[in-house]
Amino acid sequence: MKEATLVLVKPDGLKKSLTGNVLTRLSETKLEIVAAKIVRVDDKLAREHYRGLSKEPFFEELIQYIKGELHERKKVMAMAYYGGGAIRKVREIAGGTNPEKADSISIRGQYGRITTKGIYENVIHASTDQRDAEREIKLWFQPDEIIVDLYPTKATAAEGTRQAWA
Ligand code: UDP
Ligand code: MG
């Protein structure tokens, strides 16, 4: 069954110019990129994205990290990958959460590091399971930013009020 997964190139990945490497590694999956954009992450988006970790001792550092406050790059690249086994395939190439323990040829194993404060700067985010993937993709993308129909949509009062190019 086809499924989608959210990938973020985190601020450390952008600062280290790893976007090309990440895309090349992920192309091994033969999955399709169905959405992509550069995003400035505000506090609300950061906290919503990592809301499941809000009780962790490293939460505030993690929020600073994903907002780009630990790097000079206040942006992330967000993408949705789509295809059979997308979630597992991307997680496999991403590698384990702790970059020191991740498979050494995984993205996180190759390019990640642990900061002196103990935060895992691990270059990319990848959704864990279908529930998380749906929640995360809906958080990061609007329906019209994704080129396939992933989830049900509804008409809203705001329809037609989006800015158009002059
Ligand atoms: N993280 C960390 N220390 C930990 C656990 C997590 O710094 O002990 C950071 C790390 O950047 C990780 C993110 O928090 O990618 C989200 O944690 P999660 O457990 O969801 O790991 P992931 O799904 O990203 O592998
Ligand atoms: Mg996770």
Side-chain angles (χ1 to χ4, degrees), residues 49-50 53 91 97 108 125-128 132 136:
H49 177 72
Y50 280 130
L53 298 172
R91 285 290 295 194
T97 307
R108 288 166 162 185
H125 168 82
S127 306
T128 313
D132 267 0
E136 292 171 358

Side-chain angles (χ1 to χ4, degrees), residues 44-142:
K44 188 164 168 264
L45 176 57
R47 287 174 193 280
E48 189 60 30
H49 177 72
Y50 280 130
R51 72 172 181 194
L53 298 172
S54 63
K55 297 210 165 61
E56 298 294 336
F58 56 84
F59 183 66
E60 291 304 323
E61 283 283 335
L62 178 61
I63 296 304
Q64 277 192 306
Y65 167 34
I66 201 67
K67 285 164 73 180
E69 288 173 2
L70 308 180
H71 303 87
E72 285 99 69
R73 297 289 190 283
K74 291 207 172 181
K75 59 187 177 185
V76 306
M77 183 166 173
M79 291 172 289
Y81 277 78
Y82 179 67
I87 294 167
R88 181 188 50 79
K89 286 178 182 169
V90 172
R91 285 290 295 194
E92 226 167 79
I93 291 178
T97 307
N98 179 338
E100 297 286 339
K101 293 191 177 152
D103 186 330
S104 57
I105 59 157
S106 66
I107 293 169
R108 288 166 162 185
Q110 276 188 305
Y111 303 118
R113 68 164 199 142
I114 302 180
T115 68
T116 47
K117 286 190 175 169
I119 290 291
Y120 302 159
E121 285 186 2
N122 51 14
V123 184
I124 71 167
H125 168 82
S127 306
T128 313
D129 54 38
Q130 290 208 8
R131 235 184 70 193
D132 267 0
E134 179 171 348
R135 185 183 80 81
E136 292 171 358
I137 289 169
K138 286 177 172 174
L139 177 65
W140 287 82
F141 290 100
Q142 295 303 314

Side-chain angles (χ1 to χ4, degrees), residues 34-37 80 137 139-148 162:
V34 294
K37 62 179 174 181
I137 289 169
L139 177 65
W140 287 82
F141 290 100
Q142 295 303 314
D144 67 357
E145 295 177 313
I146 305 173
I147 60 148
V148 290
R162 269 185 103 136

